[in-house]
Amino acid sequence: MSHFIDRRLNAKNKSSVNRQRFLNRHKEQIKRSLDTVITDRSVTDVSSGENITIPKRDLSEPIFHHANDGERQRVHPGNDQFQQGDKIERPKQQGGQGSGDGDASNEGVGEDEFTFEISHDEYLDLLFEDLALPNLEAKHNSDAQEYKISRHGFSEVGLPNNINIVRSLKKSIARRIALTSSSKRELKVLEEQLTELEAAPGEHFKDKQLLLAQISQLRERINRVPFIDDFDIQYNHFARTPVPSSKAVMFCIMDVSGSMDQATKDIAKRFYILLYLFLSRTYQTTEVVYIRHHTQAKEVDEHEFFYSQETGGTVVSSALRLMHKIQQERYPTSQWNVYGAQASDGDNWNDDTPLCKEILERDLLPNTRYFSYIEITQGNHQSMWHAYQKISEQFPEFALKHIKERADIYPVFRELFAAS
């Protein structure tokens, strides 16, 4: 079995293979650090790289070596003070461990830490590892924009770099056989006659000259057939064929009513930034539709979704109606994988909650591959959570999660979009 080792060096003359080994080895430790990073960072700085700290004890690697006790005989190179047989006092063991920086400790026990920086791409790869959009399927689209270049037989015209040498030589051989086979058979007969004539008694000078002339003409005719002709050259033919598209659209619905305080909105925004980074990092053909709502719902752009200060009462059904309207007009399910993500504190007008349940069951879930609802509250759940719980029991494509604080965002996100 062959083993290929990639010894290419990346920037700063470092081995990318060794770095990947290091990241794989400490992946769990790095993921635990990412939880802290997402919790502590500002909303606008979630996607940049990060310094990851790993305790020194996690960097140790088991090795076989001699113990420090016992008697040893060793002569170090460059020694000019000691002779063989001299007894040297063993160095005393240090009483504690530590980095040497900072204030002294009265406990005498410490632990060095190793800090390294991961790049933006490495950070996102680790952040969204093993995550995927649930139930994503390929859609056959008549106006598909995705194509695959594939072999479609052979052609007599094409670019020189597409010449199929084997097929061209086969055609050349076939042509030469077809054009020279009769001449070769006739040549063989004449050569046999010449051999018999030379073996026969007598000179037969004129007959030999005639046979030699005929043989020469036949050989000249055979040699005039070119080894390869332009007609023989065959080119590999490639054609673009449309491939099924995995286009997906994600509807991000955020409650911005008066009951959503700044801390709750901050958690919702962090969740949606994670979702946006995940989609843009993992999928090529994904669109995001942003919907803000209080008593009225409105489709907004990315900037207004995250930074607008508009607020009001709460009617969640307005956002669900708007999502259904946009989906029906612009994102037919025959061409798009439709997803929804709703964030709210659970506060809603009591008469509106049954209507939300009805819209979800009747209009949205039949047209949606997956719909997730996160309720951000530190208090008790209200009527909307209980109504949505009943939906989740009936529809496997509906998921709801509870977030109390920032530290819950990343674990909940991974649960919602864990690859099956």
Side-chain angles (χ1 to χ4, degrees):
M1 181 178 180
S2 300
H3 296 276
F4 296 92
I5 301 175
D6 187 357
R7 299 188 186 280
R8 291 174 296 181
L9 300 179
N10 57 4
K12 299 182 181 178
N13 207 30
K14 294 180 179 178
S15 170
S16 58
V17 176
N18 287 339
R19 183 170 178 82
Q20 289 304 314
R21 287 177 181 161
F22 176 82
L23 292 177
N24 290 333
R25 186 176 161 199
H26 302 288
K27 191 167 289 183
E28 292 302 321
Q29 179 68 37
I30 294 171
K31 284 183 177 178
R32 286 196 292 270
S33 300
L34 291 179
D35 293 345
T36 306
V37 169
I38 295 171
T39 304
D40 295 340
R41 277 187 176 181
S42 65
V43 173
T44 57
D45 196 31
V46 169
S47 63
S48 61
E50 179 58 29
N51 288 325
I52 301 295
T53 301
I54 297 179
K56 185 179 179 181
R57 64 176 183 274
D58 291 341
L59 295 174
S60 62
E61 184 174 354
I63 58 173
F64 290 102
H65 60 90
H66 294 287
N68 292 325
D69 52 358
E71 295 183 358
R72 298 184 185 183
Q73 293 185 354
R74 182 185 302 173
V75 177
H76 294 282
N79 166 47
D80 60 355
Q81 299 179 7
F82 302 98
Q83 300 294 325
Q84 184 172 0
D86 289 349
K87 295 185 177 180
I88 304 172
E89 185 178 0
R90 185 183 301 277
K92 295 181 180 180
Q93 296 291 331
Q94 299 296 322
Q97 299 176 349
S99 61
D101 297 331
D103 298 333
S105 170
N106 59 357
E107 297 179 355
V109 179
E111 186 175 87
D112 287 336
E113 291 185 336
F114 172 73
T115 301
F116 69 102
E117 184 176 356
I118 59 175
S119 65
H120 171 80
D121 291 337
E122 290 171 339
Y123 174 78
L124 293 180
D125 287 340
L126 292 168
L127 196 64
F128 302 124
E129 187 181 34
D130 301 328
L131 299 182
L133 283 175
N135 308 323
L136 185 69
E137 69 173 14
K139 300 284 186 179
H140 292 274
N141 187 357
S142 58
D143 57 347
Q145 298 179 354
E146 295 183 21
Y147 295 90
K148 179 179 67 176
I149 305 297
S150 59
R151 288 279 300 274
H152 273 240
F154 303 96
S155 172
E156 296 182 354
V157 293
L159 298 175
N161 59 336
N162 290 332
I163 292 178
N164 189 303
I165 296 176
V166 174
R167 191 171 180 87
S168 298
L169 290 178
K170 285 182 178 180
K171 195 169 182 180
S172 170
I173 293 172
R175 177 182 53 79
R176 282 185 281 128
I177 290 174
L179 294 178
T180 62
S181 57
S182 61
S183 299
K184 287 182 177 178
R185 283 196 299 270
E186 188 177 353
L187 176 63
K188 185 178 180 181
V189 172
L190 294 176
E191 288 176 341
E192 289 175 354
Q193 291 177 358
L194 180 62
T195 302
E196 292 175 356
L197 195 61
E198 289 176 343
E203 291 294 332
H204 307 292
F205 180 76
K206 292 185 177 178
D207 295 337
K208 287 182 182 178
Q209 291 297 321
L210 180 59
L211 286 174
L212 288 173
Q214 293 176 341
I215 290 172
S216 177
Q217 289 178 353
L218 287 173
R219 285 177 176 173
E220 186 178 354
R221 186 188 306 171
I222 293 172
N223 291 334
R224 281 203 298 267
V225 177
F227 178 77
I228 192 164
D229 198 305
D230 292 342
F231 177 75
D232 302 328
I233 298 177
Q234 297 288 293
Y235 299 86
N236 294 324
H237 180 57
F238 296 91
R240 293 198 317 164
T241 54
V243 297
S245 171
S246 298
K247 292 195 300 185
V249 55
M250 175 66 74
F251 287 87
C252 296
I253 303 174
M254 184 164 65
D255 184 356
V256 293
S257 61
S259 60
M260 293 277 288
D261 55 22
Q262 287 303 318
T264 307
K265 289 180 181 177
D266 181 76
I267 291 176
K269 291 176 183 178
R270 288 173 184 273
F271 177 85
Y272 284 123
I273 287 177
L274 270 182
L275 182 57
Y276 172 77
L277 291 174
F278 163 61
L279 295 175
S280 59
R281 177 75 179 177
T282 312
Y283 301 97
Q284 293 183 345
T285 53
T286 304
E287 292 191 10
V288 181
V289 178
Y290 297 103
I291 297 177
R292 289 169 58 97
H293 79 89
H294 37 80
T295 55
Q296 296 178 347
K298 182 171 64 172
E299 182 184 1
V300 296
D301 58 18
E302 180 181 330
H303 184 270
E304 187 174 357
F305 184 79
F306 288 105
Y307 299 106
S308 175
Q309 300 295 322
E310 183 182 353
T311 184
T314 310
V315 178
V316 178
S317 62
S318 61
L320 301 182
R321 289 181 190 276
L322 180 59
M323 173 183 168
H324 180 58
K325 178 184 176 184
I326 296 173
Q327 183 268 314
Q328 291 292 310
E329 293 176 351
R330 290 156 38 190
Y331 302 102
T333 54
S334 60
Q335 301 177 13
W336 290 83
N337 292 279
V338 181
Y339 293 85
Q342 180 185 0
S344 171
D345 61 349
D347 184 27
N348 191 22
W349 182 38
N350 287 334
D351 293 340
D352 186 59
T353 299
L355 185 57
C356 294
K357 181 173 179 293
E358 181 182 346
I359 295 173
L360 275 168
E361 293 177 339
R362 183 191 61 204
D363 299 330
L364 293 181
L365 293 179
N367 297 312
T368 306
R369 307 297 302 173
Y370 186 71
F371 193 102
S372 60
Y373 170 73
I374 58 169
E375 187 161 301
I376 308 166
T377 179
Q378 295 183 347
N380 296 325
H381 296 300
Q382 301 187 43
S383 60
M384 198 159 72
W385 174 271
H386 300 299
Y388 279 10
Q389 266 188 326
K390 295 178 181 177
I391 298 176
S392 65
E393 295 171 357
Q394 299 175 1
F395 295 89
E397 63 270 25
F398 184 89
L400 75 166
K401 295 291 179 182
H402 181 205
I403 292 180
K404 289 185 177 180
E405 54 189 4
R406 283 186 181 183
D408 298 334
I409 297 175
Y410 188 54
V412 165
F413 186 83
R414 292 197 67 87
E415 287 183 30
L416 288 173
F417 297 100
S420 56

